[in-house]
Amino acid sequence: MATAAIDQKQLLINNEWRPASSGKTMDVINPATEDVCASVASADRADLDAAVDAARAALNGPWGQMSARERGRLVRKLGERLMERADEVSRLETLHNGKPINESRHVEIPAAAECFEYYGGWSDKVMGETIPVKGNHLAYTLREPVGVVAAIVPWNFPLLLAAWKVAPALACGNTVILKPASQTPLTALALGEIAIEVGLPKGVLNVLTGPGSTLGQAIVEHPGIDKIAFTGDTSTGKGIMRGAAETLKKITLELGGKSPNIVLADADIESAIRGATIGIFYGKGEVCAAGSRLLVDRSIKSEFVDKLVARAKKIVAGDPLDPKTRLGAISSKKQLETDLRYIEIAKKEGATLVAGGGRTDIGTGKGYFMQPTVFADVRPEMTIAREEIFGPVLAAIEFADLDEAIARANDSTYGLAAGIWTRDIKKAHYVARKLQAGTVWINTYNVYDTAAPFGGYKQSGFGREMSAHALEHYTQIKSVWVDLNM
Ligand code: NAD
């Protein structure tokens, strides 16, 4: 029973596991071995229609009638059951994504479970207000669910980014169609199985696996879907925004980044090196908020880069399923090729390669593994300083003074996150206010909590995930007026 869904690898529609109506399937590749590790159904418009009908019916069925407290209890149970199955689900996350099991088991899956716990607690605390209006009227607001929500998620944190959407959507009484990335569908299917195990009524959470270009596009166009919560590439996000205009769907977009990590001359150098390393090599750099632009004060640049390179060279790729591994496999052949292409561009444009720079292997002759890579002498106009690579490739750029550091940090179409390292508390807060980014980390990097909002400025998207702010995107406000004249 525990792994039934994964064995079947079918679509979850109305609490039933079904093959795609077309009979089509897609292979899932383990990036550490290049083997096919699963085959899943490939849904199309007919399957989507069925899922939308189920999700719509659930809004008008037991789910719509359920008390907010009971709904919250079920959302919390999703998190509890996920933790009970954490070993197995973490293994799936590592199998299809290539991330170290240490990250899946001790960071991502617990964070996803915590997200369900957090939003389950919110369910019965989402409320309207009474308003002191003119005349003899009672005016109040109701906060109602938006309706059928589609959650479209990428491959880098497949289950966590699903939880960031599914948990608040369910907590607010919506129903959900979850579409994982084609490369990483397995943990979304496990979540579907958990939903059945904890007793989520039928149609409340539906999981459709399939390609973005067809299934994703059909979701964007479908008139029966009220809202899309999307995480992924900026260009895909722009297409979703254009496509959603036709049916005026509500959308929230969490998109790419080219986040600056700024080291001032007075920083605690050892901590800053640790932070710069975690900023770019955690998650193989396949982290939307990765600190991929390291901005270092000119006066400490040589010393800092030398120490960073020494540290980077100690990080060796290994078998993702080995608990000791800290650098796993790049998620796909396509992403590996992207990383390598940017390395060639950087060399051609005159950046100095000081660490890594190529593919590696872990002794098996298989798998998409990369060396941790650092470029020094990167100028702000170079391609690797401007475009998101989404791999373990760091661009080190120098600055002369604080104003130049801020200007260079903000010289990007993106604005997802930023870091600042300094012992001067006034400078730290001054810079935090000047940076155009949705998250600023001071003397730390890559820390998250479900209670703290996360999302982008500029072309890194709009809307916030996590925290109480996310609830605004999964509810709509109705004003109710009552004539009190006797
Ligand atoms: P992607 O945009 O290719 O795919 C994301 C999802 O969208 C997948 O499920 C995909 O199947 C689907 N999709 C693709 N084309 C679609 C279309 N035309 N219509 C609807 N859906 C479509 O992105 P990716 O390569 O999976 O993920 C990497 C990107 O995600 C990076 O750019 C990264 O920065 C970004 N990201 C952002 C955040 C954030 O919070 N801002 C978090 C993680 C990843």
Side-chain angles (χ1 to χ4, degrees), residues 153 155-156 179 212 217 231-233 236 254-256 288 388 390:
V153 296
W155 43 258
N156 57 337
K179 194 207 93 58
Q217 193 59 34
T231 298
D233 197 63
T236 315
E254 301 283 354
L255 307 174
C288 48
E388 182 179 45
F390 221 51

Side-chain angles (χ1 to χ4, degrees), residues 133-468:
V133 292
K134 62 180 183 282
N136 198 10
H137 292 104
L138 164 66
Y140 66 94
T141 57
L142 295 172
R143 287 186 81 99
E144 299 186 335
V146 175
V148 177
V149 172
I152 303 180
V153 296
W155 43 258
N156 57 337
F157 290 84
L159 191 65
L160 182 59
L161 297 178
W164 286 6
K165 297 162 183 59
V166 174
L170 296 184
C172 294
N174 301 277
T175 55
V176 176
I177 296 168
L178 170 61
K179 194 207 93 58
S182 322
Q183 300 91 326
T184 53
L186 302 181
T187 44
L189 293 170
L191 183 65
E193 194 180 82
I194 288 170
I196 295 178
E197 287 173 356
V198 304
L200 221 58
K202 61 184 189 177
V204 173
L205 176 65
N206 306 276
V207 184
L208 297 187
T209 49
S213 54
T214 50
L215 177 61
Q217 193 59 34
I219 288 173
V220 173
E221 289 165 7
H222 204 292
I225 292 172
D226 301 296
K227 180 203 155 69
I228 295 179
F230 172 79
T231 298
D233 197 63
T234 295
S235 62
T236 315
K238 288 179 183 176
I240 288 178
M241 195 165 172
R242 275 191 296 271
E246 200 50 47
T247 45
L248 276 178
K249 284 184 183 60
K250 293 166 178 59
I251 54 172
T252 40
L253 303 175
E254 301 283 354
L255 307 174
K258 191 74 200 177
S259 300
N261 200 358
I262 307 169
V263 184
L264 303 189
D266 68 358
D268 170 346
I269 298 297
E270 292 310 317
S271 301
I273 284 170
R274 219 169 24 248
T277 311
I278 291 168
I280 190 64
F281 300 130
Y282 179 82
K284 312 159 262 164
E286 294 167 350
V287 179
C288 48
S292 52
R293 285 188 295 149
L294 178 71
L295 302 179
V296 193
D297 189 292
R298 187 177 291 160
S299 65
I300 57 163
K301 186 193 78 176
S302 298
E303 177 202 353
F304 194 88
V305 170
D306 287 350
K307 286 187 170 170
L308 182 71
V309 165
R311 203 178 168 104
K313 286 185 173 164
K314 286 193 190 136
I315 304 171
V316 179
D319 176 0
L321 287 171
D322 182 338
K324 291 195 287 298
T325 294
R326 294 295 177 268
L327 184 69
I330 301 301
S331 295
S332 65
K333 183 161 184 269
K334 185 167 164 243
Q335 185 58 43
L336 176 73
E337 286 166 359
T338 300
D339 296 348
L340 296 174
R341 193 177 70 244
Y342 275 110
I343 287 171
E344 287 314 307
I345 293 172
K347 286 190 212 159
K348 276 204 195 91
E349 291 182 1
T352 311
L353 179 65
V354 287
R359 188 174 180 170
T360 184
D361 81 77
I362 58 167
T364 58
K366 289 280 192 147
Y368 311 129
F369 294 94
M370 274 266 303
Q371 297 170 316
T373 296
V374 180
F375 280 98
D377 308 318
V378 177
R379 291 188 308 277
E381 66 277 11
M382 288 181 181
T383 307
I384 57 158
R386 310 208 69 79
E387 295 183 15
E388 182 179 45
I389 301 172
F390 221 51
V393 183
L394 182 66
I397 305 165
E398 64 172 38
F399 61 82
D401 56 34
L402 197 58
D403 286 343
E404 190 174 62
I406 294 166
R408 291 199 163 167
N410 288 338
D411 179 20
S412 173
T413 52
Y414 294 113
L416 190 57
I420 165 84
W421 297 83
T422 174
R423 286 192 169 97
D424 183 329
I425 191 165
K426 283 192 179 172
K427 266 189 201 162
H429 291 287
Y430 172 78
V431 175
R433 283 164 193 235
K434 292 282 178 193
L435 291 171
Q436 296 159 356
T439 294
V440 175
W441 287 296
I442 297 174
N443 293 334
T444 185
Y445 206 92
N446 256 344
V447 288
Y448 305 85
D449 190 289
T450 319
F454 183 75
Y457 276 32
K458 301 196 275 187
Q459 291 194 28
S460 289
F462 51 81
R464 290 293 175 270
E465 297 204 288
M466 302 197 282
S467 80

